[in-house]
């Protein structure tokens, strides 16, 4: 059974930084991918960034240069580092694991979500 346990998030002022963590269990992405998505009932789902089994990452144009996905294999943890946060980055963020499709990641499994709020 695949589980993705998320932590992190919270509230920050514009220009600030936050980090989200995701610990997968029961999942190895030797031929798949992991990803961060964001959405809530008021917003359309957006793929924030993907990381593939070869270590390559891609990002949405809206966050490229500000957000970074990294992984710590010793801790079996995936991170989303969010810098220079803007109010429009406020959303629910979800860790996901799935199947690679071209330069994207089709999610099959989801974390429980982490709220990020950016406001002054």
């Amino acid at each position: 059974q695949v589980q993705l346990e998320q932590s992190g998030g919270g509230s920050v002022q514009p220009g600030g930084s936050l980090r989200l963590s995701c610990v997968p269990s029961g999942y190895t992405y030797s031929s798949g991918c992991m990803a961060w998505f964001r959405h809530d009932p008021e917003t359309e789902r957006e793929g924030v960034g993907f990381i593939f089994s070869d270590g390559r990452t891609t990002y949405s144009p809206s966050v490229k240069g500000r957000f970074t996905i990294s992984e710590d294999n010793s801790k079996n943890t995936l991170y989303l580092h969010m810098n220079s946060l803007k109010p429009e980055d406020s959303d629910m963020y979800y860790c996901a694991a799935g199947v690679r499709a071209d330069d994207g990641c089709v999610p099959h499994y989801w974390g429980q979500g982490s709220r990020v709020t950016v406001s002054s």
Side-chain angles (χ1 to χ4, degrees):
Q1 181 179 359
V2 177
Q3 291 186 325
L4 304 177
E5 184 67 30
Q6 289 183 231
S7 60
S11 297
V12 67
Q13 292 186 340
S17 299
L18 287 172
R19 187 184 75 174
L20 304 180
S21 302
C22 175
V23 179
S25 59
Y27 178 79
T28 54
Y29 66 114
S30 59
S31 60
C33 53
M34 294 195 71
W36 290 97
F37 288 84
R38 63 186 182 186
H39 64 94
D40 62 21
E42 289 75 42
T43 61
E44 187 174 341
R45 189 172 80 183
E46 178 183 11
V48 173
F50 310 129
I51 183 167
F52 304 104
S53 55
D54 60 3
R56 193 168 66 89
T57 55
T58 62
Y59 300 93
S60 167
S62 63
V63 306
K64 193 172 184 179
R66 300 188 297 120
F67 290 13
T68 303
I69 295 174
S70 68
E71 53 187 349
D72 185 337
N73 291 325
S74 68
K75 297 180 180 179
N76 190 37
T77 302
L78 184 74
Y79 298 102
L80 178 65
H81 306 268
M82 302 180 289
N83 299 315
S84 302
L85 282 161
K86 305 174 182 180
E88 52 264 41
D89 293 319
S90 298
D91 217 326
M92 281 292 290
Y93 285 73
Y94 295 88
C95 174
V99 177
R100 183 171 184 169
D102 296 326
D103 275 345
C105 183
V106 178
H108 287 186
Y109 308 100
W110 294 93
Q112 78 274 23
S114 299
R115 170 65 65 182
V116 171
T117 303
V118 185
S119 69
S120 53

